[in-house]
Amino acid sequence: MSATSAPFGLRPAFHPSGLDRAQALANGIPSGFNTDIFKGQPVRYQTTAIGGTLGTITPATTSGAWVGAFAGVQWTDTTGRARVSNYWPANTAYTTGSCDAYFYNDANIVYEIQASGSMAQTTVGNEFNFASVTAGSTTTGLSACTLDHSSAVGSGSQGQMRVVDIAPYPGNDWGDSYTIVRVVCAQSQFFGAFTAIA
């Protein structure tokens, strides 16, 4: 029974083709970027110079389009030492041109995520938004983002994730206090009209 809140962000479960590889984006996080980005945290492409650097990734918010889940980062620090981490530590400076940010960005990937409350089987096919999107642990490097169980959108509206199934683990059942579900991206930056996000 999923009775304990122990979120892990977005965890790729599978891809219909069998391939769920992370993309490496060269210089994908600006040197000195002042916000932690945790493994499993939903991210989006930075599409406006306001509040960020164009052509990089940044944490998603609790509404709007997103592109995928953060998977880790490698860089060379300012002393010349190579670094690898499953999360981006805020305010880290690196040698110019040395940063590769990894993230899953295929819109067909099916993820697992823990809900912030109980989910019923009737939620399959419905859309929801993220909650606690920037929460995480600098000890484990893991995101604590959840699916906001209270954010089901109505007809004609769009949420960030669509529930497609329950995660098929022993002790994880519909109606549990913190159900772990499988979702797909319902509001991808890859589709629809381009909208700059501040």
mmCIF file with all atom_site columns, all heavy atoms in Angstrom, residues 18 21 32-33 47 50 80-82 86 90-91 94 114 117 121 137 140 144 148 150 167 169 174 176-178 186 195:
data_model
loop_
_atom_site.group_PDB
_atom_site.id
_atom_site.type_symbol
_atom_site.label_atom_id
_atom_site.label_alt_id
_atom_site.label_comp_id
_atom_site.label_asym_id
_atom_site.label_entity_id
_atom_site.label_seq_id
_atom_site.pdbx_PDB_ins_code
_atom_site.Cartn_x
_atom_site.Cartn_y
_atom_site.Cartn_z
_atom_site.occupancy
_atom_site.B_iso_or_equiv
_atom_site.pdbx_formal_charge
_atom_site.auth_seq_id
_atom_site.auth_comp_id
_atom_site.auth_asym_id
_atom_site.auth_atom_id
_atom_site.pdbx_PDB_model_num
ATOM 1   N N   . GLY A 1 18  ? 10.880 1.091  -26.951 1.00 0.00 ? 18  GLY A N   1
ATOM 2   C CA  . GLY A 1 18  ? 11.911 0.434  -26.151 1.00 0.00 ? 18  GLY A CA  1
ATOM 3   C C   . GLY A 1 18  ? 13.100 1.317  -25.858 1.00 0.00 ? 18  GLY A C   1
ATOM 4   O O   . GLY A 1 18  ? 14.006 0.929  -25.138 1.00 0.00 ? 18  GLY A O   1
ATOM 5   N N   . ARG A 1 21  ? 16.248 7.033  -23.999 1.00 0.00 ? 21  ARG A N   1
ATOM 6   C CA  . ARG A 1 21  ? 17.559 7.632  -23.779 1.00 0.00 ? 21  ARG A CA  1
ATOM 7   C C   . ARG A 1 21  ? 17.451 9.110  -23.436 1.00 0.00 ? 21  ARG A C   1
ATOM 8   O O   . ARG A 1 21  ? 16.614 9.830  -23.970 1.00 0.00 ? 21  ARG A O   1
ATOM 9   C CB  . ARG A 1 21  ? 18.412 7.486  -25.027 1.00 0.00 ? 21  ARG A CB  1
ATOM 10  C CG  . ARG A 1 21  ? 18.715 6.053  -25.377 1.00 0.00 ? 21  ARG A CG  1
ATOM 11  C CD  . ARG A 1 21  ? 19.655 5.979  -26.557 1.00 0.00 ? 21  ARG A CD  1
ATOM 12  N NE  . ARG A 1 21  ? 19.905 4.586  -26.895 1.00 0.00 ? 21  ARG A NE  1
ATOM 13  C CZ  . ARG A 1 21  ? 19.856 4.106  -28.125 1.00 0.00 ? 21  ARG A CZ  1
ATOM 14  N NH1 . ARG A 1 21  ? 19.578 4.908  -29.124 1.00 0.00 ? 21  ARG A NH1 1
ATOM 15  N NH2 . ARG A 1 21  ? 20.096 2.846  -28.361 1.00 0.00 ? 21  ARG A NH2 1
ATOM 16  N N   . GLY A 1 32  ? 26.902 29.194 -13.222 1.00 0.00 ? 32  GLY A N   1
ATOM 17  C CA  . GLY A 1 32  ? 26.427 30.008 -12.111 1.00 0.00 ? 32  GLY A CA  1
ATOM 18  C C   . GLY A 1 32  ? 24.924 30.004 -11.936 1.00 0.00 ? 32  GLY A C   1
ATOM 19  O O   . GLY A 1 32  ? 24.402 30.738 -11.079 1.00 0.00 ? 32  GLY A O   1
ATOM 20  N N   . PHE A 1 33  ? 24.187 29.193 -12.715 1.00 0.00 ? 33  PHE A N   1
ATOM 21  C CA  . PHE A 1 33  ? 22.728 29.161 -12.597 1.00 0.00 ? 33  PHE A CA  1
ATOM 22  C C   . PHE A 1 33  ? 22.348 28.952 -11.134 1.00 0.00 ? 33  PHE A C   1
ATOM 23  O O   . PHE A 1 33  ? 22.834 28.039 -10.474 1.00 0.00 ? 33  PHE A O   1
ATOM 24  C CB  . PHE A 1 33  ? 22.151 28.051 -13.473 1.00 0.00 ? 33  PHE A CB  1
ATOM 25  C CG  . PHE A 1 33  ? 20.643 28.020 -13.505 1.00 0.00 ? 33  PHE A CG  1
ATOM 26  C CD1 . PHE A 1 33  ? 19.923 29.055 -14.086 1.00 0.00 ? 33  PHE A CD1 1
ATOM 27  C CD2 . PHE A 1 33  ? 19.945 26.962 -12.954 1.00 0.00 ? 33  PHE A CD2 1
ATOM 28  C CE1 . PHE A 1 33  ? 18.532 29.022 -14.113 1.00 0.00 ? 33  PHE A CE1 1
ATOM 29  C CE2 . PHE A 1 33  ? 18.557 26.910 -12.977 1.00 0.00 ? 33  PHE A CE2 1
ATOM 30  C CZ  . PHE A 1 33  ? 17.851 27.959 -13.557 1.00 0.00 ? 33  PHE A CZ  1
ATOM 31  N N   . THR A 1 47  ? 12.844 29.790 -23.236 1.00 0.00 ? 47  THR A N   1
ATOM 32  C CA  . THR A 1 47  ? 12.459 30.367 -24.522 1.00 0.00 ? 47  THR A CA  1
ATOM 33  C C   . THR A 1 47  ? 12.403 31.888 -24.516 1.00 0.00 ? 47  THR A C   1
ATOM 34  O O   . THR A 1 47  ? 11.984 32.494 -25.486 1.00 0.00 ? 47  THR A O   1
ATOM 35  C CB  . THR A 1 47  ? 11.081 29.825 -24.953 1.00 0.00 ? 47  THR A CB  1
ATOM 36  O OG1 . THR A 1 47  ? 10.135 30.076 -23.918 1.00 0.00 ? 47  THR A OG1 1
ATOM 37  C CG2 . THR A 1 47  ? 11.156 28.332 -25.235 1.00 0.00 ? 47  THR A CG2 1
ATOM 38  N N   . ILE A 1 50  ? 14.261 36.725 -20.564 1.00 0.00 ? 50  ILE A N   1
ATOM 39  C CA  . ILE A 1 50  ? 13.840 37.238 -19.261 1.00 0.00 ? 50  ILE A CA  1
ATOM 40  C C   . ILE A 1 50  ? 13.950 36.106 -18.241 1.00 0.00 ? 50  ILE A C   1
ATOM 41  O O   . ILE A 1 50  ? 13.286 35.090 -18.343 1.00 0.00 ? 50  ILE A O   1
ATOM 42  C CB  . ILE A 1 50  ? 12.394 37.760 -19.305 1.00 0.00 ? 50  ILE A CB  1
ATOM 43  C CG1 . ILE A 1 50  ? 12.275 38.903 -20.319 1.00 0.00 ? 50  ILE A CG1 1
ATOM 44  C CG2 . ILE A 1 50  ? 11.943 38.228 -17.933 1.00 0.00 ? 50  ILE A CG2 1
ATOM 45  C CD1 . ILE A 1 50  ? 10.855 39.328 -20.583 1.00 0.00 ? 50  ILE A CD1 1
ATOM 46  N N   . GLY A 1 80  ? 39.564 23.112 -13.002 1.00 0.00 ? 80  GLY A N   1
ATOM 47  C CA  . GLY A 1 80  ? 39.955 22.155 -14.013 1.00 0.00 ? 80  GLY A CA  1
ATOM 48  C C   . GLY A 1 80  ? 39.583 20.719 -13.693 1.00 0.00 ? 80  GLY A C   1
ATOM 49  O O   . GLY A 1 80  ? 39.941 19.795 -14.430 1.00 0.00 ? 80  GLY A O   1
ATOM 50  N N   . ARG A 1 81  ? 38.852 20.506 -12.604 1.00 0.00 ? 81  ARG A N   1
ATOM 51  C CA  . ARG A 1 81  ? 38.456 19.155 -12.212 1.00 0.00 ? 81  ARG A CA  1
ATOM 52  C C   . ARG A 1 81  ? 37.129 18.765 -12.860 1.00 0.00 ? 81  ARG A C   1
ATOM 53  O O   . ARG A 1 81  ? 36.170 19.534 -12.826 1.00 0.00 ? 81  ARG A O   1
ATOM 54  C CB  . ARG A 1 81  ? 38.328 19.089 -10.689 1.00 0.00 ? 81  ARG A CB  1
ATOM 55  C CG  . ARG A 1 81  ? 37.980 17.717 -10.173 1.00 0.00 ? 81  ARG A CG  1
ATOM 56  C CD  . ARG A 1 81  ? 37.957 17.693 -8.668  1.00 0.00 ? 81  ARG A CD  1
ATOM 57  N NE  . ARG A 1 81  ? 37.480 16.409 -8.181  1.00 0.00 ? 81  ARG A NE  1
ATOM 58  C CZ  . ARG A 1 81  ? 37.282 16.120 -6.913  1.00 0.00 ? 81  ARG A CZ  1
ATOM 59  N NH1 . ARG A 1 81  ? 37.511 17.036 -5.985  1.00 0.00 ? 81  ARG A NH1 1
ATOM 60  N NH2 . ARG A 1 81  ? 36.847 14.936 -6.557  1.00 0.00 ? 81  ARG A NH2 1
ATOM 61  N N   . ALA A 1 82  ? 37.093 17.553 -13.443 1.00 0.00 ? 82  ALA A N   1
ATOM 62  C CA  . ALA A 1 82  ? 35.861 17.059 -14.052 1.00 0.00 ? 82  ALA A CA  1
ATOM 63  C C   . ALA A 1 82  ? 34.869 16.662 -12.966 1.00 0.00 ? 82  ALA A C   1
ATOM 64  O O   . ALA A 1 82  ? 35.234 16.039 -11.970 1.00 0.00 ? 82  ALA A O   1
ATOM 65  C CB  . ALA A 1 82  ? 36.169 15.866 -14.940 1.00 0.00 ? 82  ALA A CB  1
ATOM 66  N N   . ASN A 1 86  ? 24.150 13.784 -10.320 1.00 0.00 ? 86  ASN A N   1
ATOM 67  C CA  . ASN A 1 86  ? 22.793 13.481 -10.755 1.00 0.00 ? 86  ASN A CA  1
ATOM 68  C C   . ASN A 1 86  ? 21.873 14.679 -10.585 1.00 0.00 ? 86  ASN A C   1
ATOM 69  O O   . ASN A 1 86  ? 20.709 14.627 -10.965 1.00 0.00 ? 86  ASN A O   1
ATOM 70  C CB  . ASN A 1 86  ? 22.233 12.246 -10.034 1.00 0.00 ? 86  ASN A CB  1
ATOM 71  C CG  . ASN A 1 86  ? 22.029 12.464 -8.548  1.00 0.00 ? 86  ASN A CG  1
ATOM 72  O OD1 . ASN A 1 86  ? 22.582 13.387 -7.957  1.00 0.00 ? 86  ASN A OD1 1
ATOM 73  N ND2 . ASN A 1 86  ? 21.243 11.604 -7.931  1.00 0.00 ? 86  ASN A ND2 1
ATOM 74  N N   . ALA A 1 90  ? 23.010 24.505 -7.236  1.00 0.00 ? 90  ALA A N   1
ATOM 75  C CA  . ALA A 1 90  ? 22.814 25.932 -7.506  1.00 0.00 ? 90  ALA A CA  1
ATOM 76  C C   . ALA A 1 90  ? 24.121 26.702 -7.367  1.00 0.00 ? 90  ALA A C   1
ATOM 77  O O   . ALA A 1 90  ? 24.959 26.397 -6.518  1.00 0.00 ? 90  ALA A O   1
ATOM 78  C CB  . ALA A 1 90  ? 21.770 26.498 -6.547  1.00 0.00 ? 90  ALA A CB  1
ATOM 79  N N   . ASN A 1 91  ? 24.278 27.709 -8.221  1.00 0.00 ? 91  ASN A N   1
ATOM 80  C CA  . ASN A 1 91  ? 25.398 28.653 -8.197  1.00 0.00 ? 91  ASN A CA  1
ATOM 81  C C   . ASN A 1 91  ? 26.744 28.032 -8.571  1.00 0.00 ? 91  ASN A C   1
ATOM 82  O O   . ASN A 1 91  ? 27.793 28.596 -8.279  1.00 0.00 ? 91  ASN A O   1
ATOM 83  C CB  . ASN A 1 91  ? 25.504 29.343 -6.830  1.00 0.00 ? 91  ASN A CB  1
ATOM 84  C CG  . ASN A 1 91  ? 24.225 30.048 -6.454  1.00 0.00 ? 91  ASN A CG  1
ATOM 85  O OD1 . ASN A 1 91  ? 23.701 30.845 -7.225  1.00 0.00 ? 91  ASN A OD1 1
ATOM 86  N ND2 . ASN A 1 91  ? 23.688 29.733 -5.276  1.00 0.00 ? 91  ASN A ND2 1
ATOM 87  N N   . TYR A 1 94  ? 31.414 26.898 -13.983 1.00 0.00 ? 94  TYR A N   1
ATOM 88  C CA  . TYR A 1 94  ? 32.199 25.911 -14.716 1.00 0.00 ? 94  TYR A CA  1
ATOM 89  C C   . TYR A 1 94  ? 33.028 26.567 -15.805 1.00 0.00 ? 94  TYR A C   1
ATOM 90  O O   . TYR A 1 94  ? 32.801 27.723 -16.190 1.00 0.00 ? 94  TYR A O   1
ATOM 91  C CB  . TYR A 1 94  ? 31.309 24.807 -15.286 1.00 0.00 ? 94  TYR A CB  1
ATOM 92  C CG  . TYR A 1 94  ? 30.237 25.255 -16.265 1.00 0.00 ? 94  TYR A CG  1
ATOM 93  C CD1 . TYR A 1 94  ? 30.544 25.590 -17.588 1.00 0.00 ? 94  TYR A CD1 1
ATOM 94  C CD2 . TYR A 1 94  ? 28.907 25.323 -15.883 1.00 0.00 ? 94  TYR A CD2 1
ATOM 95  C CE1 . TYR A 1 94  ? 29.562 25.968 -18.483 1.00 0.00 ? 94  TYR A CE1 1
ATOM 96  C CE2 . TYR A 1 94  ? 27.913 25.707 -16.767 1.00 0.00 ? 94  TYR A CE2 1
ATOM 97  C CZ  . TYR A 1 94  ? 28.246 26.024 -18.076 1.00 0.00 ? 94  TYR A CZ  1
ATOM 98  O OH  . TYR A 1 94  ? 27.276 26.406 -18.954 1.00 0.00 ? 94  TYR A OH  1
ATOM 99  N N   . GLN A 1 114 ? 4.793  9.884  -8.124  1.00 0.00 ? 114 GLN A N   1
ATOM 100 C CA  . GLN A 1 114 ? 3.892  9.706  -6.984  1.00 0.00 ? 114 GLN A CA  1
ATOM 101 C C   . GLN A 1 114 ? 2.944  10.898 -6.910  1.00 0.00 ? 114 GLN A C   1
ATOM 102 O O   . GLN A 1 114 ? 3.360  12.044 -7.096  1.00 0.00 ? 114 GLN A O   1
ATOM 103 C CB  . GLN A 1 114 ? 4.670  9.576  -5.677  1.00 0.00 ? 114 GLN A CB  1
ATOM 104 C CG  . GLN A 1 114 ? 3.783  9.223  -4.498  1.00 0.00 ? 114 GLN A CG  1
ATOM 105 C CD  . GLN A 1 114 ? 4.570  8.870  -3.248  1.00 0.00 ? 114 GLN A CD  1
ATOM 106 O OE1 . GLN A 1 114 ? 5.490  9.584  -2.865  1.00 0.00 ? 114 GLN A OE1 1
ATOM 107 N NE2 . GLN A 1 114 ? 4.196  7.769  -2.596  1.00 0.00 ? 114 GLN A NE2 1
ATOM 108 N N   . GLY A 1 117 ? -1.636 12.760 -3.276  1.00 0.00 ? 117 GLY A N   1
ATOM 109 C CA  . GLY A 1 117 ? -2.769 12.214 -2.530  1.00 0.00 ? 117 GLY A CA  1
ATOM 110 C C   . GLY A 1 117 ? -3.291 10.982 -3.239  1.00 0.00 ? 117 GLY A C   1
ATOM 111 O O   . GLY A 1 117 ? -2.631 10.414 -4.109  1.00 0.00 ? 117 GLY A O   1
ATOM 112 N N   . GLN A 1 121 ? -8.922 4.772  -10.113 1.00 0.00 ? 121 GLN A N   1
ATOM 113 C CA  . GLN A 1 121 ? -8.769 4.300  -11.486 1.00 0.00 ? 121 GLN A CA  1
ATOM 114 C C   . GLN A 1 121 ? -9.517 5.193  -12.469 1.00 0.00 ? 121 GLN A C   1
ATOM 115 O O   . GLN A 1 121 ? -9.165 5.281  -13.645 1.00 0.00 ? 121 GLN A O   1
ATOM 116 C CB  . GLN A 1 121 ? -9.243 2.849  -11.609 1.00 0.00 ? 121 GLN A CB  1
ATOM 117 C CG  . GLN A 1 121 ? -8.950 2.263  -12.981 1.00 0.00 ? 121 GLN A CG  1
ATOM 118 C CD  . GLN A 1 121 ? -9.127 0.767  -13.043 1.00 0.00 ? 121 GLN A CD  1
ATOM 119 O OE1 . GLN A 1 121 ? -9.409 0.129  -12.036 1.00 0.00 ? 121 GLN A OE1 1
ATOM 120 N NE2 . GLN A 1 121 ? -8.960 0.200  -14.222 1.00 0.00 ? 121 GLN A NE2 1
ATOM 121 N N   . SER A 1 137 ? 16.198 16.904 -2.797  1.00 0.00 ? 137 SER A N   1
ATOM 122 C CA  . SER A 1 137 ? 17.218 16.687 -1.777  1.00 0.00 ? 137 SER A CA  1
ATOM 123 C C   . SER A 1 137 ? 18.609 16.892 -2.350  1.00 0.00 ? 137 SER A C   1
ATOM 124 O O   . SER A 1 137 ? 18.976 16.246 -3.338  1.00 0.00 ? 137 SER A O   1
ATOM 125 C CB  . SER A 1 137 ? 17.108 15.261 -1.221  1.00 0.00 ? 137 SER A CB  1
ATOM 126 O OG  . SER A 1 137 ? 18.243 14.943 -0.439  1.00 0.00 ? 137 SER A OG  1
ATOM 127 N N   . THR A 1 140 ? 20.553 13.312 -1.755  1.00 0.00 ? 140 THR A N   1
ATOM 128 C CA  . THR A 1 140 ? 20.375 12.239 -2.739  1.00 0.00 ? 140 THR A CA  1
ATOM 129 C C   . THR A 1 140 ? 20.403 12.757 -4.173  1.00 0.00 ? 140 THR A C   1
ATOM 130 O O   . THR A 1 140 ? 20.634 11.998 -5.109  1.00 0.00 ? 140 THR A O   1
ATOM 131 C CB  . THR A 1 140 ? 19.032 11.518 -2.522  1.00 0.00 ? 140 THR A CB  1
ATOM 132 O OG1 . THR A 1 140 ? 17.955 12.441 -2.789  1.00 0.00 ? 140 THR A OG1 1
ATOM 133 C CG2 . THR A 1 140 ? 18.919 10.976 -1.111  1.00 0.00 ? 140 THR A CG2 1
ATOM 134 N N   . ALA A 1 144 ? 11.627 15.917 -5.513  1.00 0.00 ? 144 ALA A N   1
ATOM 135 C CA  . ALA A 1 144 ? 10.473 15.554 -4.683  1.00 0.00 ? 144 ALA A CA  1
ATOM 136 C C   . ALA A 1 144 ? 9.188  16.069 -5.322  1.00 0.00 ? 144 ALA A C   1
ATOM 137 O O   . ALA A 1 144 ? 8.183  16.260 -4.654  1.00 0.00 ? 144 ALA A O   1
ATOM 138 C CB  . ALA A 1 144 ? 10.636 16.105 -3.275  1.00 0.00 ? 144 ALA A CB  1
ATOM 139 N N   . ASP A 1 148 ? -0.050 16.689 -8.712  1.00 0.00 ? 148 ASP A N   1
ATOM 140 C CA  . ASP A 1 148 ? -1.034 17.328 -7.842  1.00 0.00 ? 148 ASP A CA  1
ATOM 141 C C   . ASP A 1 148 ? -2.384 16.636 -8.023  1.00 0.00 ? 148 ASP A C   1
ATOM 142 O O   . ASP A 1 148 ? -3.088 16.881 -8.990  1.00 0.00 ? 148 ASP A O   1
ATOM 143 C CB  . ASP A 1 148 ? -1.132 18.816 -8.183  1.00 0.00 ? 148 ASP A CB  1
ATOM 144 C CG  . ASP A 1 148 ? -2.093 19.572 -7.278  1.00 0.00 ? 148 ASP A CG  1
ATOM 145 O OD1 . ASP A 1 148 ? -2.759 18.939 -6.437  1.00 0.00 ? 148 ASP A OD1 1
ATOM 146 O OD2 . ASP A 1 148 ? -2.179 20.805 -7.415  1.00 0.00 ? 148 ASP A OD2 1
ATOM 147 N N   . SER A 1 150 ? -5.135 17.035 -6.769  1.00 0.00 ? 150 SER A N   1
ATOM 148 C CA  . SER A 1 150 ? -6.324 17.889 -6.712  1.00 0.00 ? 150 SER A CA  1
ATOM 149 C C   . SER A 1 150 ? -6.463 18.789 -7.930  1.00 0.00 ? 150 SER A C   1
ATOM 150 O O   . SER A 1 150 ? -7.346 19.637 -7.972  1.00 0.00 ? 150 SER A O   1
ATOM 151 C CB  . SER A 1 150 ? -6.284 18.746 -5.437  1.00 0.00 ? 150 SER A CB  1
ATOM 152 O OG  . SER A 1 150 ? -5.174 19.636 -5.483  1.00 0.00 ? 150 SER A OG  1
ATOM 153 N N   . ALA A 1 167 ? 1.336  2.443  -11.545 1.00 0.00 ? 167 ALA A N   1
ATOM 154 C CA  . ALA A 1 167 ? 2.631  1.758  -11.553 1.00 0.00 ? 167 ALA A CA  1
ATOM 155 C C   . ALA A 1 167 ? 2.422  0.372  -10.942 1.00 0.00 ? 167 ALA A C   1
ATOM 156 O O   . ALA A 1 167 ? 1.953  0.268  -9.805  1.00 0.00 ? 167 ALA A O   1
ATOM 157 C CB  . ALA A 1 167 ? 3.655  2.555  -10.755 1.00 0.00 ? 167 ALA A CB  1
ATOM 158 N N   . TYR A 1 169 ? 3.353  -2.096 -9.067  1.00 0.00 ? 169 TYR A N   1
ATOM 159 C CA  . TYR A 1 169 ? 4.214  -2.607 -8.022  1.00 0.00 ? 169 TYR A CA  1
ATOM 160 C C   . TYR A 1 169 ? 3.393  -3.218 -6.904  1.00 0.00 ? 169 TYR A C   1
ATOM 161 O O   . TYR A 1 169 ? 2.289  -2.724 -6.608  1.00 0.00 ? 169 TYR A O   1
ATOM 162 C CB  . TYR A 1 169 ? 5.092  -1.487 -7.447  1.00 0.00 ? 169 TYR A CB  1
ATOM 163 C CG  . TYR A 1 169 ? 5.968  -0.819 -8.472  1.00 0.00 ? 169 TYR A CG  1
ATOM 164 C CD1 . TYR A 1 169 ? 5.914  0.556  -8.673  1.00 0.00 ? 169 TYR A CD1 1
ATOM 165 C CD2 . TYR A 1 169 ? 6.864  -1.556 -9.245  1.00 0.00 ? 169 TYR A CD2 1
ATOM 166 C CE1 . TYR A 1 169 ? 6.712  1.174  -9.614  1.00 0.00 ? 169 TYR A CE1 1
ATOM 167 C CE2 . TYR A 1 169 ? 7.662  -0.952 -10.188 1.00 0.00 ? 169 TYR A CE2 1
ATOM 168 C CZ  . TYR A 1 169 ? 7.596  0.419  -10.373 1.00 0.00 ? 169 TYR A CZ  1
ATOM 169 O OH  . TYR A 1 169 ? 8.384  1.021  -11.309 1.00 0.00 ? 169 TYR A OH  1
ATOM 170 N N   . TRP A 1 174 ? -4.826 1.489  -6.596  1.00 0.00 ? 174 TRP A N   1
ATOM 171 C CA  . TRP A 1 174 ? -5.739 2.624  -6.731  1.00 0.00 ? 174 TRP A CA  1
ATOM 172 C C   . TRP A 1 174 ? -6.386 2.887  -5.369  1.00 0.00 ? 174 TRP A C   1
ATOM 173 O O   . TRP A 1 174 ? -6.766 1.955  -4.671  1.00 0.00 ? 174 TRP A O   1
ATOM 174 C CB  . TRP A 1 174 ? -6.817 2.338  -7.757  1.00 0.00 ? 174 TRP A CB  1
ATOM 175 C CG  . TRP A 1 174 ? -6.334 2.215  -9.165  1.00 0.00 ? 174 TRP A CG  1
ATOM 176 C CD1 . TRP A 1 174 ? -6.364 1.097  -9.949  1.00 0.00 ? 174 TRP A CD1 1
ATOM 177 C CD2 . TRP A 1 174 ? -5.750 3.241  -9.977  1.00 0.00 ? 174 TRP A CD2 1
ATOM 178 N NE1 . TRP A 1 174 ? -5.829 1.361  -11.188 1.00 0.00 ? 174 TRP A NE1 1
ATOM 179 C CE2 . TRP A 1 174 ? -5.447 2.672  -11.234 1.00 0.00 ? 174 TRP A CE2 1
ATOM 180 C CE3 . TRP A 1 174 ? -5.448 4.588  -9.762  1.00 0.00 ? 174 TRP A CE3 1
ATOM 181 C CZ2 . TRP A 1 174 ? -4.872 3.401  -12.268 1.00 0.00 ? 174 TRP A CZ2 1
ATOM 182 C CZ3 . TRP A 1 174 ? -4.871 5.312  -10.793 1.00 0.00 ? 174 TRP A CZ3 1
ATOM 183 C CH2 . TRP A 1 174 ? -4.587 4.729  -12.032 1.00 0.00 ? 174 TRP A CH2 1
ATOM 184 N N   . ASP A 1 176 ? -4.831 4.203  -2.790  1.00 0.00 ? 176 ASP A N   1
ATOM 185 C CA  . ASP A 1 176 ? -3.830 4.355  -1.730  1.00 0.00 ? 176 ASP A CA  1
ATOM 186 C C   . ASP A 1 176 ? -3.623 5.836  -1.423  1.00 0.00 ? 176 ASP A C   1
ATOM 187 O O   . ASP A 1 176 ? -3.901 6.704  -2.253  1.00 0.00 ? 176 ASP A O   1
ATOM 188 C CB  . ASP A 1 176 ? -2.503 3.732  -2.152  1.00 0.00 ? 176 ASP A CB  1
ATOM 189 C CG  . ASP A 1 176 ? -2.510 2.214  -2.067  1.00 0.00 ? 176 ASP A CG  1
ATOM 190 O OD1 . ASP A 1 176 ? -3.506 1.654  -1.580  1.00 0.00 ? 176 ASP A OD1 1
ATOM 191 O OD2 . ASP A 1 176 ? -1.514 1.595  -2.496  1.00 0.00 ? 176 ASP A OD2 1
ATOM 192 N N   . SER A 1 177 ? -3.083 6.103  -0.268  1.00 0.00 ? 177 SER A N   1
ATOM 193 C CA  . SER A 1 177 ? -2.922 7.493  0.178   1.00 0.00 ? 177 SER A CA  1
ATOM 194 C C   . SER A 1 177 ? -2.049 8.325  -0.754  1.00 0.00 ? 177 SER A C   1
ATOM 195 O O   . SER A 1 177 ? -2.301 9.513  -0.957  1.00 0.00 ? 177 SER A O   1
ATOM 196 C CB  . SER A 1 177 ? -2.328 7.523  1.585   1.00 0.00 ? 177 SER A CB  1
ATOM 197 O OG  . SER A 1 177 ? -3.179 6.874  2.497   1.00 0.00 ? 177 SER A OG  1
ATOM 198 N N   . TYR A 1 178 ? -0.997 7.716  -1.308  1.00 0.00 ? 178 TYR A N   1
ATOM 199 C CA  . TYR A 1 178 ? -0.070 8.425  -2.207  1.00 0.00 ? 178 TYR A CA  1
ATOM 200 C C   . TYR A 1 178 ? 0.228  7.515  -3.400  1.00 0.00 ? 178 TYR A C   1
ATOM 201 O O   . TYR A 1 178 ? 1.334  6.985  -3.543  1.00 0.00 ? 178 TYR A O   1
ATOM 202 C CB  . TYR A 1 178 ? 1.214  8.816  -1.479  1.00 0.00 ? 178 TYR A CB  1
ATOM 203 C CG  . TYR A 1 178 ? 0.965  9.733  -0.313  1.00 0.00 ? 178 TYR A CG  1
ATOM 204 C CD1 . TYR A 1 178 ? 0.882  9.236  0.988   1.00 0.00 ? 178 TYR A CD1 1
ATOM 205 C CD2 . TYR A 1 178 ? 0.774  11.101 -0.504  1.00 0.00 ? 178 TYR A CD2 1
ATOM 206 C CE1 . TYR A 1 178 ? 0.642  10.079 2.068   1.00 0.00 ? 178 TYR A CE1 1
ATOM 207 C CE2 . TYR A 1 178 ? 0.528  11.950 0.562   1.00 0.00 ? 178 TYR A CE2 1
ATOM 208 C CZ  . TYR A 1 178 ? 0.464  11.435 1.838   1.00 0.00 ? 178 TYR A CZ  1
ATOM 209 O OH  . TYR A 1 178 ? 0.217  12.268 2.895   1.00 0.00 ? 178 TYR A OH  1
ATOM 210 N N   . ALA A 1 186 ? 1.440  15.808 -21.416 1.00 0.00 ? 186 ALA A N   1
ATOM 211 C CA  . ALA A 1 186 ? 0.233  16.237 -22.129 1.00 0.00 ? 186 ALA A CA  1
ATOM 212 C C   . ALA A 1 186 ? 0.362  17.663 -22.663 1.00 0.00 ? 186 ALA A C   1
ATOM 213 O O   . ALA A 1 186 ? -0.466 18.116 -23.439 1.00 0.00 ? 186 ALA A O   1
ATOM 214 C CB  . ALA A 1 186 ? -0.986 16.151 -21.198 1.00 0.00 ? 186 ALA A CB  1
ATOM 215 N N   . THR A 1 195 ? 5.179  29.508 -27.590 1.00 0.00 ? 195 THR A N   1
ATOM 216 C CA  . THR A 1 195 ? 4.866  30.539 -26.611 1.00 0.00 ? 195 THR A CA  1
ATOM 217 C C   . THR A 1 195 ? 6.077  30.775 -25.749 1.00 0.00 ? 195 THR A C   1
ATOM 218 O O   . THR A 1 195 ? 6.576  29.841 -25.113 1.00 0.00 ? 195 THR A O   1
ATOM 219 C CB  . THR A 1 195 ? 3.685  30.116 -25.715 1.00 0.00 ? 195 THR A CB  1
ATOM 220 O OG1 . THR A 1 195 ? 2.546  29.829 -26.540 1.00 0.00 ? 195 THR A OG1 1
ATOM 221 C CG2 . THR A 1 195 ? 3.327  31.217 -24.728 1.00 0.00 ? 195 THR A CG2 1
#
